[in-house]
Amino acid sequence: MTSNTIDKEAFVWIWLPEATEPVVAGKLEADDQGSVQFNYGKSYLERINANHPAISIYEPELPLKKGVLPLLDGLTMPGCIRDSAPDAWGRRVIINKKLGRKGKDTDTEALDELTYLLESGSDRIGALDFQRSSSEYVPRSANNVPLEELLQSAARVEQGVPLTPDLDQALFHGSSIGGARPKALIEDQGAKYVAKFSSSTDLYSVVKAEFIAMRLAALAGINAAPVRLVQAAQKDILLIERFDREKTVKGWARKAMVSALTLFGLDEMMARYASYETFAEIIRHRFDEPKETLEELFSRIVFNILSGNTDDHARNHAAFWNGKTLRLTPAYDICPQGRAGNEATQAMLISGENRLSNLRSCLDAAPHFLLSEDEAKAIFDKQREAIEANWEKVCDEANLSAVDRNLFWQRQFLNPFAFIVQPSQMARDYRL
């Protein structure tokens, strides 16, 4: 790794359940080989009888124990810490700010992991933040952009009124940095949102496609994050309501979360081994309401296939962590992917070594979710009927053009390849 800045340590601050202010939990230290390890602070471990007692950041990875905690095999830093790091978009913004480098081909390894944690905004997903101090908490980029400023952004620029840096970067300079889709944090009427922006390089209405998929998922009975679609500066903007924040009379509380990748004990280099079968096993043993959660996850697999979302990798699934048990978060990042032909594969294995994007794969996996074949097929029919019944209405909500409707229908949404259950039954039982 080549780096102009090397951070060797960082202090982890955590919002404990129902708390509106963070406390320091411990310290991260990087060695010369690039590995990052964690140990809890003495004051944190002694929070037994406090109003907000200490919880582990995540077990079994970082149990509440003294001393430096060993890394899981194959990891160079704890997965539950890596979950709080910025994504590709956030990393390129930081590189641009610190090193002046732009473009989608910029090497994101130009900075070390602790620098990314310390330079990214403090209102990150989950309940953690990272500081250079163990005694003083100073938030970075803590202010969310008011929705009004977003909607009036073009007029403000014309009047010479500067926008907040994050909004200016995402709205007007997103395509110059590249990487994952430009984002900003928005606040409106007591709710917080992640805003995703369209790009001048989009070949189709990516933002509208995600809005449509998320709305149809909710209408099909899936617990999906609420979404809104707005326009600003001639760009479509998707607002996803944040489910990791809760407004209280004392301020904002934060909910601890871990990705499915962390549940599996894997990192990005090992993500190809992530499977829904393993996810189902973890749910059976460690989640609240396992039976209902298994059906919900199975329903999400089915909907991903029926909506053409093949980007269902293990960071696009997550669970709330309360220090003892896990609970599936609302679904997010359901975004239909462009496809030229019919055959497609999911990012995660569905059954055995099979990841083919069709309902046959789901039927094979159904027993792992404690579902019978008839129960699985009932979920297929319910979702197909919901998509067909609400398609035009949701497309109208998105003001989707006729060209894009034709592009999405039976290519991303309800692609015939998805309905392969058994070749002899395809035409009879699952005709579109």
Side-chain angles (χ1 to χ4, degrees):
M1 178 188 299
T2 60
S3 176
N4 291 30
T5 303
I6 298 291
D7 281 289
K8 288 294 188 180
E9 68 175 31
F11 291 94
V12 180
W13 291 66
I14 186 171
W15 278 254
L16 291 165
E18 301 180 5
T20 56
E21 297 291 338
V23 297
V24 66
K27 183 168 70 171
L28 294 167
E29 290 189 274
D31 62 24
D32 293 335
Q33 286 71 49
S35 292
V36 178
Q37 292 181 288
F38 175 80
N39 68 286
Y40 286 104
K42 184 173 181 290
S43 63
Y44 187 74
L45 291 173
E46 292 174 348
R47 294 181 63 90
I48 299 173
N49 299 314
N51 289 335
H52 301 288
I55 65 169
S56 66
I57 293 176
Y58 173 63
E59 287 186 38
E61 190 172 44
L62 296 181
L64 282 173
K65 294 181 178 179
K66 296 179 181 179
V68 177
L69 299 175
L71 293 167
L72 299 182
D73 289 345
L75 300 189
T76 57
M77 72 183 302
C80 57
I81 299 295
R82 177 61 179 81
D83 284 340
S84 299
D87 63 7
W89 159 255
R91 288 171 183 248
R92 297 190 197 285
V93 170
I94 292 169
I95 288 173
N96 181 28
K97 180 173 66 175
K98 290 189 70 66
L99 305 179
R101 301 177 190 173
K102 298 184 179 182
K104 64 181 181 181
D105 296 324
T106 300
D107 182 9
T108 55
E109 292 193 4
L111 298 173
D112 59 281
E113 285 296 333
L114 289 187
T115 298
Y116 283 124
L117 292 175
L118 289 165
E119 294 291 334
S120 47
S122 292
D123 201 8
R124 69 186 74 235
I125 300 299
L128 301 181
D129 193 24
F130 306 89
Q131 300 277 309
R132 290 185 170 89
S133 170
S134 63
S135 58
E136 182 183 13
Y137 179 77
V138 181
R140 299 175 303 281
S141 304
N143 294 326
N144 287 246
V145 178
L147 180 61
E148 183 180 3
E149 179 177 338
L150 171 65
L151 299 178
Q152 296 178 355
S153 55
R156 290 169 66 90
V157 170
E158 289 173 0
Q159 295 164 7
V161 179
L163 301 177
T164 52
D166 287 349
L167 178 57
D168 180 67
Q169 186 75 73
L171 189 55
F172 294 107
H173 299 96
S175 59
S176 67
I177 288 188
R181 188 152 298 277
K183 301 179 185 73
L185 300 177
I186 306 296
E187 187 167 346
D188 182 53
Q189 297 181 356
K192 290 193 175 189
Y193 301 86
V194 174
K196 292 185 179 180
F197 296 78
S198 61
S199 169
S200 58
T201 60
D202 287 345
L203 299 179
Y204 61 96
S205 301
V206 177
V207 166
K208 288 184 177 180
E210 184 169 348
F211 169 81
I212 290 166
M214 292 289 289
R215 287 282 293 116
L216 288 173
L219 291 167
I222 288 169
N223 177 22
V227 292
R228 297 168 59 184
L229 193 65
V230 298
Q231 270 209 334
Q234 298 181 322
K235 286 189 176 183
D236 295 316
I237 301 162
L238 177 67
L239 301 181
I240 307 105
E241 188 169 339
R242 294 186 63 171
F243 45 74
D244 63 333
R245 297 291 183 267
E246 185 175 1
K247 188 70 175 290
T248 73
V249 293
K250 294 183 178 180
W252 288 99
R254 304 190 181 193
K255 296 181 180 180
M257 289 170 48
V258 289
S259 71
L261 200 63
T262 292
L263 297 179
F264 299 146
L266 303 175
D267 67 7
E268 276 79 6
M269 298 300 292
M270 299 183 283
R272 65 185 180 278
Y273 300 114
S275 79
Y276 283 110
E277 282 187 29
T278 303
F279 203 168
E281 184 177 353
I282 293 170
I283 288 171
R284 289 197 299 272
H285 290 95
R286 303 196 58 211
F287 273 62
D288 291 333
E289 301 180 340
K291 189 175 188 305
E292 294 83 353
T293 303
L294 287 169
E295 182 173 341
E296 171 71 16
L297 180 60
F298 183 84
S299 298
R300 294 184 189 187
I301 303 170
V302 173
F303 189 82
N304 282 334
I305 289 171
L306 296 184
S307 65
N309 175 34
T310 55
D311 192 33
D312 58 336
H313 57 78
R315 283 209 185 280
N316 281 345
H317 299 278
F320 295 121
W321 167 248
N322 64 10
K324 295 180 180 179
T325 59
L326 296 155
R327 181 167 54 90
L328 204 62
T329 71
Y332 58 95
D333 279 358
I334 305 176
C335 187
Q337 305 297 304
R339 68 203 271 178
N342 285 329
E343 187 168 324
T345 57
Q346 298 304 120
M348 280 175 49
L349 295 164
I350 300 173
S351 178
E353 296 301 312
N354 175 28
R355 61 178 82 237
L356 287 175
S357 307
N358 58 49
L359 299 183
R360 172 76 263 172
S361 304
C362 295
L363 272 185
D364 291 341
H368 296 285
F369 295 84
L370 307 182
L371 295 170
S372 68
E373 183 172 311
D374 286 343
E375 289 171 328
K377 286 186 176 181
I379 292 171
F380 301 166
D381 289 338
K382 176 185 175 181
Q383 291 195 11
R384 183 198 60 198
E385 291 165 4
I387 292 171
E388 290 177 336
N390 293 287
W391 173 253
E392 292 297 337
K393 178 185 75 171
V394 174
C395 287
D396 288 344
E397 289 178 14
N399 195 25
L400 191 69
S401 69
V403 171
D404 277 338
R405 293 186 199 211
N406 291 333
L407 175 68
F408 294 153
W409 187 246
Q410 295 191 4
R411 184 170 299 180
Q412 278 91 346
F413 293 88
L414 302 189
N415 188 294
F417 179 76
F419 289 86
I420 295 177
V421 177
Q422 293 175 359
S424 62
Q425 292 182 336
M426 179 180 171
R428 183 174 72 250
D429 293 344
Y430 293 94
R431 183 178 296 119
L432 292 178

